Amino acid sequence: MPDKSTGDESGLPAPRTGTMTARRTIVLVTGRWRRDQALYPAEKLIAILKACADSTVWIATKEGGLHYRDDEVRIVEVQDRLVEEPLYVNIFYHILHQLRVLLLLLKIGGDTVVFAFGSDLCLLPILFGRLAGKEIILRTDGRPSAVLKMDDKRATPLKGRMFELVERITYAAASRIVPESPIMVSRYHLEKYRHKIETGGLYVDAGLFARTTNLEERRFRAGFIGRLSEEKGVLAFAESLPAVLPDSDAEAVIIGYGHLAPEVARILSAKGIRHQVICTGRVDNGDLPRYLNEIQTVVVPSAFEGLPNIVLESMACGCVVLATPVGGIPDLIRDGVTGFLLDDRSPAAIAEGVSRACTHHDREGIAENGRRLIEQQYVFSVAVERYRRILGDSTPAG
């Protein structure tokens, strides 16, 4: 599979080349997280940026419960308060948060500011940065207004219009826009910014996430790994399991935590398969490779995604991945070549997809193709080189 970051098949321009600015300081600004949201992808991005800079600063929301520590990275935490309703209160705290970030940027300085993981809508700091002559990089894992429309719980017409208005300004002001994957350009209607787009995915530790067990020796026929919430499709996965587990010896695993855990347990009990499904709860990232090497088919029935780490990590461990074609997943999975794509998110489609994956005549070859793709395009050295190209040529916004 060709490296689509080169623009060979994506329709994007080839990455520009350039040299790093002497004594470059990069500031990463991440979004307003809840305490139960993982900081794992942000830690990967800061590792990449650290390799591209002389000094690195991370402005993170204190409410997120940040535990990351690195002597080579300066961590600056922003006090914040997250609220859902009423909307005007949430807007007030969002503006207050932006003012705090803006003041920190005044104090910190820095040549380049990267806004990522929910900070696409930081209107005031982004505008200030551009007016101050800084290079502003917007790294997006899904345009906020487009993603909002997919989220039934959070979407309202007023919020959608507000997101779109702010996006028009922030995306136009940015020096460079960095979607996670090439397909996101068309999926999130970023074509008008094509002249300043470079794709920039993250990476997998291919030494830690490695294949140690052949598929036929793995315990679990299918597995779900992720947050137990509506958009991740865990209920449909649970509903599919009676058909996925054709006999009493077959087993599945559900790894993760979230508010739907009681409902998942209820479904498994009602279907009479509770004894065939292991529910682990939260698993540390360091232990995840061991679990992945016990799963034949990893199912990712999400309603929306960016470029999910679990797909990358599962492929690195030689799992066959069955996923919905959302976000950047089609850039990873070519159906029947590096994995399998779901027709829809229904229990019937999941069961049919798992059966197809488990009975495919060359599933070992598909697993090997997935691992090879990770080694070629999604390891740390490749990610760093990609970001050096992105950061090395600071073309002003058009």
Side-chain angles (χ1 to χ4, degrees), residues 286-301:
D287 294 329
L288 191 54
R290 176 170 59 86
Y291 282 94
L292 285 172
N293 272 279
E294 288 295 316
I295 302 172
Q296 298 173 30
T297 304
V298 172
V299 182
V300 186

Side-chain angles (χ1 to χ4, degrees), residues 202 210 320 344:
L202 298 177
V320 175
D344 58 62

Side-chain angles (χ1 to χ4, degrees), residues 37-54:
Q37 288 181 315
L39 306 180
Y40 185 47
E43 293 174 5
K44 290 189 173 185
L45 180 56
I46 200 70
I48 294 169
L49 297 178
K50 185 175 71 170
C52 298
D54 298 293

Side-chain angles (χ1 to χ4, degrees), residues 54-320:
D54 298 293
S55 62
T56 316
V57 182
W58 183 358
I59 298 178
T61 305
K62 192 170 185 180
E63 180 72 13
L66 184 65
H67 300 296
Y68 175 88
R69 293 294 180 267
D70 186 329
D71 291 341
E72 298 180 35
V73 177
R74 180 184 171 193
I75 307 292
V76 182
E77 292 185 325
V78 184
Q79 188 69 41
D80 193 20
R81 180 183 175 189
L82 289 173
V83 294
E84 286 294 338
E85 294 181 3
L87 180 59
Y88 69 87
V89 177
N90 195 12
I91 292 173
F92 169 78
Y93 281 108
H94 185 58
I95 293 173
L96 183 61
H97 176 263
Q98 291 186 51
L99 290 172
R100 287 169 172 161
V101 171
L102 193 157
L103 290 174
L104 285 172
L105 289 178
L106 282 171
K107 294 178 182 178
I108 293 168
D111 316 286
T112 302
V113 185
V114 179
F115 290 84
F117 305 110
S119 61
D120 311 50
L121 302 178
C122 281
L123 176 63
L124 299 179
I126 288 171
L127 285 180
F128 159 77
R130 289 300 287 140
L131 292 172
K134 297 179 184 294
E135 183 181 9
I136 299 295
I137 308 293
L138 272 184
R139 185 191 181 277
T140 178
D141 50 10
R143 193 166 181 172
S145 62
V147 173
L148 180 69
K149 293 175 183 177
M150 304 174 194
D151 190 341
D152 294 335
K153 291 182 66 178
R154 295 176 58 237
T156 65
L158 176 59
K159 188 180 289 188
R161 287 194 293 271
M162 290 172 56
F163 277 26
E164 289 172 352
L165 177 61
V166 173
E167 279 176 353
R168 289 177 187 174
I169 303 171
T170 58
Y171 279 59
S175 310
R176 196 69 54 83
I177 298 172
V178 183
E180 283 193 289
S181 194
I183 198 171
M184 292 182 178
V185 176
S186 57
R187 177 154 288 168
Y188 296 118
H189 311 297
L190 298 172
E191 292 91 347
K192 66 183 293 185
Y193 308 110
R194 193 180 295 276
H195 63 287
K196 57 181 179 182
I197 283 180
E198 303 279 4
T199 56
L202 298 177
Y203 66 92
V204 176
D205 183 341
L208 176 63
F209 289 89
R211 178 175 179 166
T212 60
T213 311
N214 292 329
L215 288 175
E216 65 270 14
E217 298 171 352
R218 299 186 179 196
R219 174 182 176 183
F220 301 110
R221 181 176 172 87
F224 172 94
I225 304 167
R227 189 166 58 253
L228 306 189
S229 57
E230 289 85 355
E231 75 278 6
K232 295 296 184 180
V234 65
L235 296 184
F237 177 77
E239 293 278 2
S240 76
L241 290 178
V244 167
L245 305 175
D247 55 67
S248 59
D249 292 331
E251 292 182 287
V253 63
I254 296 176
I255 299 173
Y257 65 99
H259 70 279
L260 290 181
E263 180 64 12
V264 169
R266 187 198 65 76
I267 291 171
L268 299 179
S269 296
K271 300 290 185 181
I273 56 171
R274 186 69 185 86
H275 63 290
Q276 292 177 262
V277 183
I278 306 299
C279 297
T280 68
R282 186 196 298 265
V283 168
D284 290 337
N285 290 322
D287 294 329
L288 191 54
R290 176 170 59 86
Y291 282 94
L292 285 172
N293 272 279
E294 288 295 316
I295 302 172
Q296 298 173 30
T297 304
V298 172
V299 182
V300 186
S302 300
F304 48 88
E305 288 284 358
L307 194 68
N309 278 290
I310 191 55
V311 173
L312 297 171
E313 292 164 351
S314 298
M315 294 170 75
C317 288
C319 304
V320 175

Side-chain angles (χ1 to χ4, degrees), residues 307-382:
L307 194 68
N309 278 290
I310 191 55
V311 173
L312 297 171
E313 292 164 351
S314 298
M315 294 170 75
C317 288
C319 304
V320 175
V321 177
L322 170 68
T324 45
V326 297
I329 288 175
D331 282 328
L332 286 171
I333 297 180
R334 291 171 57 197
D335 192 72
V337 179
T338 57
F340 295 93
L341 295 173
L342 281 164
D343 292 332
D344 58 62
R345 303 174 64 231
S346 68
I350 293 172
E352 182 181 348
V354 172
S355 176
R356 181 185 173 209
C358 289
T359 59
H360 194 276
H361 67 92
D362 189 29
R363 66 173 186 157
E364 287 284 356
I366 290 171
E368 182 57 34
N369 290 341
R371 169 70 188 185
R372 189 177 302 114
L373 174 66
I374 298 303
E375 292 174 337
Q376 292 173 350
Q377 297 186 31
Y378 294 99
V379 292
F380 181 72
S381 60
V382 175

